[in-house]
Amino acid sequence: MTAFDHEKLDVYQISLEFVATAGEIIDQFLAGRHNLADQLDRAALSVVLNIAEGAGEFSRAEKARFYRMAKRSATECAAVLDVCRVRKFVDGKRLEAGREILVRVVSMLIRMIHSLEAGAGRTAKPESANPVPPG
């Protein structure tokens, strides 16, 4: 069976692991926490979906843009886990497992973004604002 480009990425597969972990965390929420459950679910899905969209792009700049959106969504997930921890909504071990997955995902995305931007010349030094006139 032929795989889509995104399915070949380790970061995509690990992000899918987080979607499953997020589902387990959400299942532990007490009634009345629907807004936080929805926020975590949407942010976790956003990570996976933006990675897939980025992998499907041809432009390096567009790939990097989608991977940056995935990274932002992953950090949003981490913030939701922090809220769950301080409010004691969920078992700490499960939160830590989710956090460890997110640290891996964010680290991988940062490396991918830097690689794409370096290849596109985005890290090159800008020309001097005050060039010396020819003489």
Side-chain angles (χ1 to χ4, degrees):
M1 182 166 113
T2 305
F4 287 99
D5 289 343
H6 63 273
E7 294 172 322
K8 300 172 190 173
L9 296 174
D10 290 338
V11 70
Y12 178 80
Q13 297 301 327
I14 295 167
S15 295
L16 283 176
E17 286 179 38
F18 181 75
V19 168
T21 301
E24 294 169 2
I25 290 168
I26 289 167
D27 288 345
Q28 289 189 343
F29 284 6
L30 299 174
R33 303 288 180 217
H34 301 293
N35 60 338
L36 194 58
D38 184 56
Q39 190 73 27
L40 179 57
D41 189 47
R42 287 184 297 114
L45 290 174
S46 179
V47 175
V48 172
L49 297 177
N50 278 302
I51 291 169
E53 285 188 73
E57 285 289 338
F58 291 106
S59 159
R60 294 174 73 89
E62 281 298 295
K63 281 183 181 292
R65 186 174 73 84
F66 278 105
Y67 296 156
R68 282 192 304 274
M69 286 188 282
K71 184 183 87 55
R72 288 192 292 263
S73 293
T75 56
E76 179 181 353
C77 289
V80 172
L81 297 185
D82 288 341
V83 170
C84 291
R85 179 182 45 80
V86 299
R87 291 192 175 175
K88 298 177 178 35
F89 289 161
V90 181
D91 172 53
K93 288 181 183 179
R94 194 167 306 244
L95 292 175
E96 187 56 32
R99 188 178 187 289
E100 288 175 11
I101 294 170
L102 289 171
V103 167
R104 288 180 65 199
V105 167
V106 168
S107 295
M108 294 171 90
L109 287 168
I110 288 170
R111 285 193 303 274
M112 292 168 71
I113 293 163
H114 286 170
S115 174
L116 288 164
E117 290 178 346
R122 295 189 74 186
T123 58
K125 292 182 181 179
E127 292 185 35
S128 171
N130 299 315
V132 177

